[in-house]
Amino acid sequence: MHAAVLHTLGQPPSYAEHPDPRPGDGVCLVRVSAAPLAPLDLLCATGTSYFGPPAVPYVPGVQGVGVVEESDSVAVGTRVWFTASAGIAPGDGSLAEFAAVAVDDLVPIDVPADDAALAALGLSAVAAWMALTWKARMRPGERVLVLGGGGAVGQVAIGAAHILGADRVVAACRSAGAASRAKAAGADEVVLTAEADGLEQRLARACGGHVDVVIDPVFGPTAEAAVRVLGEGGRLVNLGGAGGDTAAFSSAVMRSRSIEVLGYTNSSLTVEQRRGAVTAICRHAGDGRLAVSHEVHRLDEVEEVWLRLASGDADARSVLRP
């Protein structure tokens, strides 16, 4: 088969021939129709992640959409969303014509949404959905602030908060382009964060004085300002550190308002939780209520797309089609 094959850690993969995957007991053969290129793929390929350096050569790609070609337990022809552990554990991933996928890592999908659109949502959407519903325990009528609102997690969190009955959804973004994506996702108001002076006051005004839930894939100074806008019993859920790995929170503020600062990772989900989240996300995507801005590329363009993402020049999620 043809695939994106990574031969040297720290370098982009090349489009090349690679041995076909072999299905087996409890493992399906999936013909891949669309696979997103995610920051996790690039991190694993550097060999510097806490997962350790992966053995090369291997095919990157931790998620995708496709159709079951061969299986001893899933009907051939079933359209599926799937995850892979490429770069995290031995084995190949989704950036290929075919992938071998464990049955537990498949979620059947049957919605009127394009495969590339579903692939673009992927694990970022799972994180946003579960951060709101599971970790933050969001209730209808609450106000939600989404940091990094122009990113994939942020766009889904904005749409999901509305679906879950938020009274008001505010996005915080660093650039005009990110702000445009956040508005398209449904943000009631957007606050630009590039200028740190007065950020807390600007967030408070946009949120109507206080906020109940903060979804935070950013951390750093922006999270520090957001915590000070949380009202009584407010919850901040952190999903990443794009804006910094540390933040300082006042003990007095946390105790006086009984607020919670919570951490989230997809790896803590059970198979049932992940499957339920993907099913809900796909249903809402099919209804046109959840989407991530994305660009579609051919798989043979993987090296160029990889370098663009690594340089920070990619404004939208890149999805590759074999």
Side-chain angles (χ1 to χ4, degrees):
M1 69 176 180
H2 285 94
V5 185
L6 192 134
H7 291 93
T8 305
L9 296 179
Q11 297 296 314
S14 57
Y15 182 71
E17 291 188 352
H18 191 72
D20 291 340
R22 295 180 178 275
D25 187 27
V27 177
C28 303
L29 181 67
V30 174
R31 179 184 291 274
V32 181
S33 57
L37 187 57
L40 178 59
D41 297 317
L42 270 67
L43 174 62
C44 291
T46 65
T48 62
S49 78
Y50 61 81
F51 302 113
V56 292
Y58 79 99
V59 176
V62 295
Q63 56 194 310
V65 174
V67 174
V68 173
E69 287 271 313
E70 186 178 335
S71 173
D72 57 9
S73 58
V74 180
V76 171
T78 301
R79 186 180 178 216
V80 294
W81 177 90
F82 67 91
T83 59
S85 57
I88 300 170
D92 293 325
S94 59
L95 297 178
E97 293 179 301
F98 295 95
V101 184
V103 172
D104 279 350
D105 294 332
L106 297 174
V107 182
I109 52 176
D110 182 18
V111 295
D114 178 71
D115 285 0
L118 296 178
L121 284 160
L123 289 167
S124 295
V126 170
W129 184 264
M130 293 303 290
L132 280 166
T133 59
W134 180 46
K135 278 289 181 178
R137 311 179 304 280
M138 186 200 143
R139 298 181 293 270
E142 291 192 313
R143 301 174 190 175
V144 177
L145 170 61
V146 179
L147 310 186
V153 170
Q155 291 173 65
V156 177
I158 291 166
H162 280 300
I163 289 169
L164 296 167
D167 177 63
R168 183 169 180 78
V169 182
V170 174
C173 302
R174 283 194 59 82
S175 68
S180 177
R181 293 191 294 275
K183 288 294 287 185
D188 295 309
E189 191 167 345
V190 176
V191 176
L192 293 176
T193 63
E195 177 55 61
D197 289 346
L199 179 56
E200 177 188 345
Q201 291 74 24
R202 286 182 282 126
L203 289 173
R205 283 196 299 271
C207 295
H210 74 274
V211 68
D212 302 293
V213 172
V214 176
I215 299 300
D216 169 34
V218 176
F219 216 52
T222 306
E224 293 176 7
V227 159
R228 295 193 291 271
V229 181
L230 281 171
E232 181 70 27
R235 291 87 69 202
L236 180 145
V237 181
N238 175 257
L239 302 88
D245 193 49
T246 60
F249 302 138
S250 162
S251 172
V253 169
M254 293 181 67
R255 289 181 290 111
S256 65
R257 302 175 192 169
S258 297
I259 65 176
E260 299 175 59
V261 177
L262 306 162
Y264 174 87
T265 173
N266 278 338
S267 62
S268 65
L269 299 178
T270 66
V271 170
E272 291 75 19
Q273 284 177 313
R274 186 178 63 203
R275 185 167 290 149
V278 170
T279 300
I281 289 159
C282 290
R283 182 175 71 252
H284 294 304
D287 293 339
R289 303 185 71 186
L290 284 181
V292 165
S293 175
H294 63 280
E295 300 173 346
V296 181
H297 303 271
R298 299 189 313 272
L299 185 59
D300 61 9
E301 299 175 284
V302 63
E303 186 171 353
E304 175 188 344
V305 175
W306 187 283
L307 289 171
R308 255 183 64 200
L309 179 58
S311 68
D313 291 335
D315 290 332
R317 173 62 52 91
S318 295
V319 177
L320 297 169
R321 283 189 180 276

